């Protein structure tokens, strides 16, 4: 399974010819989005779901399956298969488990925000904007978020330690911020004996 990082929280996963895009947001869409087999959306925020890009991709290729929470379906002009924590489905041979129900709280003014995580092939977790209480080989870890401090990441990783950590959710950071974030990532991984894999936009790794 090959994973390529795109801007912010967007990634592309390829496995035996199947292509799955996760969270292509407005900070930068995944190139050739109409060529994927499925689009997975963790929650309906602009930095995770570019409605125009997804609609354009689905219009060009109506065979694309889009999965996400009900809040995404309620706001979309393209068909969405509604999923929630506990669900499971397959995309052309790739098994996907859905975990979680809500985004982590960032403000006292926040209502409940639907958010799900996706586990691909039992080993790669995209959590959306939450710390999902599951253990996987490879975790995509949100780094620049308003709902967590570094100590929150330490506690979540200690409770459910992955073997490998890849950073996501970092578009607001400049060059110096990215370098500082990667230093933080290395320390987080060292605490739990995991591998830090600081992929940048355009980088790929075999998972």
């Amino acid at each position: 399974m090959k994973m390529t990082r795109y801007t912010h929280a967007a990634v592309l996963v390829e496995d035996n010819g199947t292509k799955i895009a996760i969270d292509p947001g407005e900070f930068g869409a995944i190139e050739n989005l109409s060529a994927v087999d499925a689009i997975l959306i963790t929650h309906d925020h602009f930095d995770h779901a570019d409605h125009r890009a997804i609609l354009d991709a689905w219009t060009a290729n109506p065979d694309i399956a889009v999965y996400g929470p009900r809040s995404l379906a309620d706001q979309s002009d393209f068909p969405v298969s509604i999923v929630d924590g506990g669900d499971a489905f397959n995309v052309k041979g790739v098994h996907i488990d859905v975990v979680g129900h809500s985004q982590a709280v960032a403000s006292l003014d926040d209502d409940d925000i639907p958010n799900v995580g996706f586990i691909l092939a039992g080993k790669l977790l995209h959590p959306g904007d939450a710390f999902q209480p599951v253990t996987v080989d490879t975790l995509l870890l949100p780094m620049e978020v308003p709902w967590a401090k570094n100590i929150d990441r330490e506690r979540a990783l200690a409770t459910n330690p992955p073997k490998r950590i890849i950073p996501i959710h970092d578009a607001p950071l400049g060059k110096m911020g990215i370098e500082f974030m990667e230093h933080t990532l290395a320390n987080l991984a060292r605490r739990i004996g995991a591998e830090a894999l600081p992929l940048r936009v355009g980088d790929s790794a075999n998972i």
Side-chain angles (χ1 to χ4, degrees):
M1 177 182 289
K2 175 183 175 182
M3 194 208 81
T4 302
R5 268 213 71 191
Y6 285 83
T7 303
H8 200 52
V11 300
L12 177 67
V13 177
E14 301 173 77
D15 188 43
N16 294 320
T18 300
K19 295 183 179 182
I20 301 171
I22 310 176
D23 279 8
E26 293 183 18
F27 287 141
I30 292 174
E31 61 189 11
N32 300 321
L33 191 59
S34 63
V36 305
D37 297 292
I39 299 172
L40 315 183
I41 301 296
T42 61
H43 62 292
D44 190 26
H45 281 173
F46 76 96
D47 56 330
H48 292 256
D50 184 338
H51 282 248
R52 171 52 59 183
I54 297 169
L55 177 60
D56 288 347
W58 176 79
T59 300
N61 178 11
D63 290 333
I64 295 175
V66 183
Y67 297 86
R70 180 173 298 278
S71 55
L72 175 72
D74 289 344
Q75 300 297 323
S76 298
D77 294 323
F78 45 82
V80 176
S81 294
I82 298 169
V83 294
D84 196 9
D87 292 338
F89 57 95
N90 278 271
V91 175
K92 293 190 174 180
V94 179
H95 182 80
I96 300 169
D97 291 296
V98 186
V99 294
H101 307 282
S102 301
Q103 179 180 327
V105 176
S107 169
L108 293 175
D109 295 327
D110 282 350
D111 294 323
D112 182 68
I113 300 171
N115 179 96
V116 297
F118 296 102
I119 302 175
L120 279 67
K123 56 186 178 181
L124 172 66
L125 169 61
H126 192 308
D129 275 3
F131 295 130
Q132 307 291 356
V134 295
T135 302
V136 292
D137 286 349
T138 302
L139 171 66
L140 305 184
L141 182 64
M143 296 299 293
E144 180 61 24
V145 295
W147 47 266
K149 302 186 295 293
N150 205 52
I151 193 170
D152 299 320
R153 295 184 188 87
E154 291 175 350
R155 288 169 175 158
L157 292 171
T159 303
N160 298 102
K163 296 178 181 178
R164 182 185 299 109
I165 308 171
I166 298 174
I168 59 170
H169 214 290
D170 55 6
L173 299 176
K175 180 178 182 296
M176 185 178 296
I178 290 291
E179 292 173 353
F180 189 88
M181 178 271 289
E182 291 176 348
H183 177 76
T184 300
L185 183 79
N187 287 335
L188 289 169
R190 184 170 59 251
R191 288 178 64 91
I192 59 171
E195 175 190 5
L197 192 56
L199 300 184
R200 296 193 180 186
V201 175
D203 289 345
S204 299
N206 291 320
I207 304 302

